[in-house]
Every structure is written in C-alpha cells, then in structure tokens.
Amino acid sequence: MYSDKENVNILTSLLVNHGVNKAVVCPGSRNAPIVHNLNECPDVECYPVTDERSAGFYALGIAQATGSPVVVCVTSGTALLNLLPAVAEAFYQHLPLIVVSADRPSQWINQLDGQTIPQNGALGSFVKKSINLPEPHDEEERWFCNRMINEVLISCACGACGPVHINVPITEPLYSFTQTKLPVERKIEFVSANADTSKARTLMLDRFKHSSRPMIVIGQSQIESLSERLSKHLQSNAVVLIEPLSAGGAQLYLDEIVRCVENDERYSPDFILYIGDCIVSKSIKKFLRKAARKAEVWMASEDGKIADTLMNAIGVIEGNVSELLDTIVFDNCKDYYHLWHDSVVVKNIVEKCRSFIPKYSQMSAVKAFEEAIAHHDIIRHYANSMSVRFGCIYSKGYLYVNRGINGIEGSLSTAAGYSLASDKDVYCVIGDLSFFYDQNALWNKNIGGNLKILLLNNGGGAIFGKFEGLKDSNARDNLVMAKHDTSAAGICMANHINHIEAFNAETLKAGLDKLINMKSDNPTLLEVFTDAENDMNVIKEYYTSI
C-alpha cells in the first residue's frame, strides 16, 4: 500500500519511470510517507543512513559507481542543510544526485513552529535545478506537479549531469497508507542534441509519418531559423499553424479559422509537433490544449527547453529544428491537409475575412498601413496588446514583437535600436500606453529618418474594455484602462520628430502616404486618433461577420 499524499505518489511514480532504482534514506517523521513509498516500490533499493552528512556522500559514492541518478531523502528542518557539502561535491563532479526533502506546509514557514525553515532553494547555486512541489487540489496543480518533476529529473541526467533538489511540502496526517498502487504518470522523454539516432527521436518521426491528422505548430521564432524552401515544403504538405511573428511566413486568418472549426472534431489533430516559442492567439492555444488531451504532443527546440504549453507533451527534442523538420515524411495526411486548406468551410471563412471593410478605427488603420507597405522592403516591429493582434490579421510579412514576456514596455526602444543597425526603413506599430510608457526611446540623437512610427491613440488601454466583468467596476476606465487625453505632439516637438495626425479615413490615407514617402533625416510619427468604444465595436463586427 502507498501513501495517500498525491504529490508523494506522483514523485514516486516518476522516479521509477525515469529509471531511478537506488535511494539513500534518512530517518524522520515528515519524510516518512516518501520513505514508505520508496520502500514499497519493488524497483527501488533503499539504503538507510542516519547521519544526513554521511548520507549525502553515501549517495555520491553510489552515483560514482553506477553512473545513474541516486536519491537521497531527508526529513524537514536542519536535515537538508547537512547535505550541502555532498551536494557541492556532486555539482563539481557532475554527478546525478536527486535530493528529496520533506517539508512542512508553506503557510507554517517562519511561524515559530518546529522544523519550519525556508527549505525551497536552500541549496542555492550548488544544484542545477530546484523545485517546490504543490499539494495538488485540482487538475491544473496536478499537471504542474507532474511537469516540474519531469523537468527536474531530466535536468539531473541531461548534458553535464548534476544534483537537483525536490522539496516536498506534506500536510498532516502523515501516516495514511491507503493507496493500492501508484498513479500512472506521464513521463516526458528528453532527446538530447547528441542522440540523433535515439529511439525516442525515431519514434516521434515514425508516429508523425503514420498519423492521419498530424499538425506542426510554429511559435515565435527568429526569421532566419527556418529557410524559405523548408517552410514552403512544410506548408505544402502538412497542416502548419503559423503566425506572422514566426519564421517561415504566416497562414492568413488562422485565428479566425480556428475560432470557427474548434468544435468540429475533423479538424482536431491526433499528433502535434510544437516548435518555437509563444503564440499570440488565445483561440489557437485553447484549440490546441483541447486537442492535446487526445493527441500525441512533442516539443522541439534548439535548447531543449521543457515548455509544456499544451499541458500534455510526452517528448522534448533538443537540437537543430530545421534538420528535424527536413526528415519528416508526409504519407497519410493528404485528406487532413485539404480539409484545412481547400474545404468549403475554410474558403468561406477566408473570403469573409478578406471582404470585411472596417469602419475608421485602429483596425482600419493597420489594414490600410499593411496594404500601403505590402510591396516595400521594410522591417515591421509591432508592440504588444491590440497592435500585434491587428498585425496577425493583416500582415503578410514577418513581425518583430517582444513576446518573450509580452510586456508593453520597450517596444519602441527595440524598434529604435533595430533602426540603428539597419539600412531599411523600420516601422513600429504601437498603441498609446506602450508609446507613452517608452517615450524616452525618442530622446536619442542617433535615431534617424529610417525609424517610422504608427501610433494608435484611442485614449487608453482599450483591450481591457472587452472584458465584460470589468464593465461593472468603477476602477475600469481610469485605473485599469488608464484613460487619458494625451497627444504625442509635444513629445515629437521636443525630440525633433516629424509629427502627422489622422482623425478620419481621409486624413489617415494622406498621413500614411507622408509616413511612407517622406524623406527626412529625422524619424516620422503618424498619430491616428480613434474612439476606444468604436474600436471595440469594429472588432466585434469583424468576428461576428465570420
């Protein structure tokens, strides 16, 4: 019988799944559920050592002899601190030591209760990775627990091996052993860059080959990370979900298509290969997470980062992504490909999107801007929030966007910095809050006439206005949306920036012509004034029309 502590059972199951079969265990009450579980596992051999200082080095010696990860398990309080010398030695010897420390519940840390020290992170820089497990109360916390344990066990054994720390808070009662078996836990396979012929990599390619509904998802990525040849090859043979901020060129109206087909099982993939970083569209992420409950999910990246964004990855491949994609065989997915590209449903959606003519608004401004520069060899920088969402609808070129963290700060400075190192015209499409937050980007004598700015000013953070629940809050307008009546005119004057204004469709057209064609040694800014409520209504009309 196993413990009834869910985090302990998830940990035990994954230790076994990752091939850990030896554990040095120290006496204690708080770690009793962990020790009990390890002892119950027929695949794990336990070695009792009372002195934690000695136990750490015992585990070190076993790791030296076997070359495999070894657990050393201690109770709460000072027990963990006694492991530090052995952990430091393991760090510099690159030995795979797995420190498992039982802990008191987090709410009792530093509350004058016995053995309640801050254990999470206590081993500092002498471990490759340190995690603090939750005590799961719902499926998301359970997934989090599973994912973190997979991450830390992979970190222990991949590349240059080294010690890791798993801290396990356990709430009383401690000694309830009622579970007849351990849970079946998802193991995330890790394929290193040095294992190109590994079974896991071969398995992934074979599964893709024999899948009838495989899908490739390409998140944000550097423009040069995927060749034009390979991108065309992929998009001509497989269903590829790709936005303008991803290498390889975007699929137009992808968000809109997904919104319309998300409940049609025919469009749901049975295999997903995810490469790159963030996706802008929440609709796409929602669609993929739903599909991932049944589909087989693999991630691939240059650095092997474990980012389980779809919440069900079973494998992570580290290495040259282009080489991996070049080896994929598309045998059984023709029908699925034509469903996404040639079906009447998809063609109708695309036609409705193309034929929608937005009234004067931020949306119409970005549409007109993208149409005006369609045949120009320029660089596009888009700020976060509504700006990048409009860009994903209308842009036919690659978008530079700060989507690593998705903050509003620094978008203008990033575009300005790019303009210093480029001979091309660099356009920054940016909302008012992002612009005024980062106005010091213009306080720089080095920027020149190749920096051009399309400022979308509707007097606040209008994106927050779409949330229905906020409409009942007195804080909505002034505190959440940060409504204002500021213009960029004074900022432009102070920094010798050419300033153009647009208030309607006619002045927008004239302003875009000046923005694109004006020759100047100084940057040029077109400030497009719109109404926030009207902007939101136009977006609603757009999606309602599909």
Side-chain angles (χ1 to χ4, degrees), residues 55-93:
F57 285 103
Y58 262 82
L60 189 81
I62 296 172
Q64 287 176 337
T66 64
S68 300
V70 179
V71 166
V72 55
C73 177
V74 298
T75 195
S76 58
T78 56
L80 174 64
L81 304 182
N82 286 313
L83 290 179
L84 188 54
V87 169
E89 184 65 26
F91 183 80
Y92 287 107
Q93 285 195 41

Side-chain angles (χ1 to χ4, degrees), residues 84 138 158 313 345 423:
L84 188 54
D138 55 40
C158 76
V345 173
D423 294 329

Side-chain angles (χ1 to χ4, degrees), residues 134 178 235 334 387 394-395 417 448 471:
T178 61
Q235 295 187 60
K334 292 288 188 255
S387 300
Y394 292 116
S395 179
K471 292 180 179 178

Side-chain angles (χ1 to χ4, degrees), residues 453-464:
I453 303 159
L454 178 63
L455 170 56
L456 307 174
N457 189 345
N458 61 6
I463 191 171
F464 305 116

Side-chain angles (χ1 to χ4, degrees), residues 469-482:
L470 265 180
K471 292 180 179 178
D472 298 327
S473 172
N474 292 329
R476 174 180 178 263
D477 290 353
N478 293 326
L479 303 183
V480 178
M481 295 175 66

Side-chain angles (χ1 to χ4, degrees), residues 189-220:
E189 296 282 354
F190 182 82
V191 185
S192 74
N194 299 320
D196 286 345
T197 58
S198 71
K199 290 181 180 179
R201 185 176 187 275
T202 303
L203 173 65
M204 189 283 292
L205 292 171
D206 186 65
R207 293 282 181 83
F208 192 105
K209 177 181 177 180
H210 291 97
S211 171
S212 61
R213 302 193 312 277
M215 176 179 286
I216 299 173
V217 180
I218 304 180
Q220 181 174 24

Side-chain angles (χ1 to χ4, degrees), residues 148-390:
M148 281 203 300
I149 297 169
N150 269 295
E151 286 179 4
V152 77
L153 295 181
I154 288 171
S155 176
C156 178
C158 76
C161 295
V164 295
H165 178 203
I166 303 173
N167 192 54
V168 190
I170 305 175
T171 301
E172 296 181 11
L174 302 175
Y175 314 124
S176 179
F177 310 123
T178 61
Q179 301 301 306
T180 58
K181 59 184 180 180
L182 291 174
V184 177
E185 287 298 316
R186 172 188 60 136
K187 177 189 177 184
I188 299 178
E189 296 282 354
F190 182 82
V191 185
S192 74
N194 299 320
D196 286 345
T197 58
S198 71
K199 290 181 180 179
R201 185 176 187 275
T202 303
L203 173 65
M204 189 283 292
L205 292 171
D206 186 65
R207 293 282 181 83
F208 192 105
K209 177 181 177 180
H210 291 97
S211 171
S212 61
R213 302 193 312 277
M215 176 179 286
I216 299 173
V217 180
I218 304 180
Q220 181 174 24
S221 41
Q222 297 294 328
I223 189 169
E224 67 277 2
S225 64
L226 200 64
S227 70
E228 185 177 352
R229 176 201 63 80
L230 180 55
S231 174
K232 287 182 178 178
H233 172 67
L234 293 175
Q235 295 187 60
S236 298
N237 289 279
V239 176
V240 181
L241 301 194
I242 182 170
E243 295 178 319
L245 62 163
S246 306
Q251 180 181 339
L252 290 177
Y253 310 120
L254 184 57
D255 175 89
E256 294 84 340
I257 293 170
V258 167
R259 284 171 182 252
C260 293
V261 305
E262 62 180 347
N263 295 318
D264 188 336
E265 286 297 322
R266 296 177 302 160
Y267 290 85
S268 186
D270 58 8
F271 187 102
I272 301 171
L273 175 60
Y274 190 117
I275 66 174
D277 295 314
C278 293
I279 294 172
V280 173
S281 169
K282 288 187 176 181
S283 298
I284 294 175
K285 282 184 279 193
K286 177 185 173 185
F287 168 77
L288 291 172
R289 284 172 182 162
K290 180 182 177 182
R293 296 171 193 167
K294 298 178 181 178
E296 185 170 332
V297 181
W298 286 74
M299 313 287 290
S301 64
E302 302 288 336
D303 59 4
K305 177 179 62 179
I306 301 171
D308 188 25
T309 187
L310 304 187
M311 303 178 73
N312 201 27
I314 66 166
V316 173
I317 297 177
E318 173 191 49
N320 190 303
V321 173
S322 290
E323 288 182 5
L324 175 69
L325 294 173
D326 230 355
T327 59
I328 289 177
V329 176
F330 309 99
D331 276 0
N332 301 311
C333 57
K334 292 288 188 255
D335 290 343
Y336 190 55
Y337 175 85
H338 290 302
L339 180 69
W340 273 87
H341 289 85
D342 304 322
S343 70
V344 174
V345 173
V346 170
K347 286 184 175 180
N348 285 341
I349 296 168
V350 171
E351 180 56 34
K352 288 178 180 178
C353 293
R354 283 177 176 162
S355 61
F356 181 81
I357 301 175
K359 292 179 289 189
Y360 177 74
S361 59
Q362 290 190 342
M363 189 175 196
S364 72
V366 174
K367 182 176 188 292
F369 164 72
E370 284 292 343
E371 289 172 350
I373 62 168
H375 302 295
H376 291 250
D377 184 19
I378 55 92
I379 301 297
R380 296 169 174 84
H381 274 256
Y382 271 74
N384 275 307
S385 207
M386 287 309 301
S387 300
V388 69
R389 285 165 172 81
F390 291 135

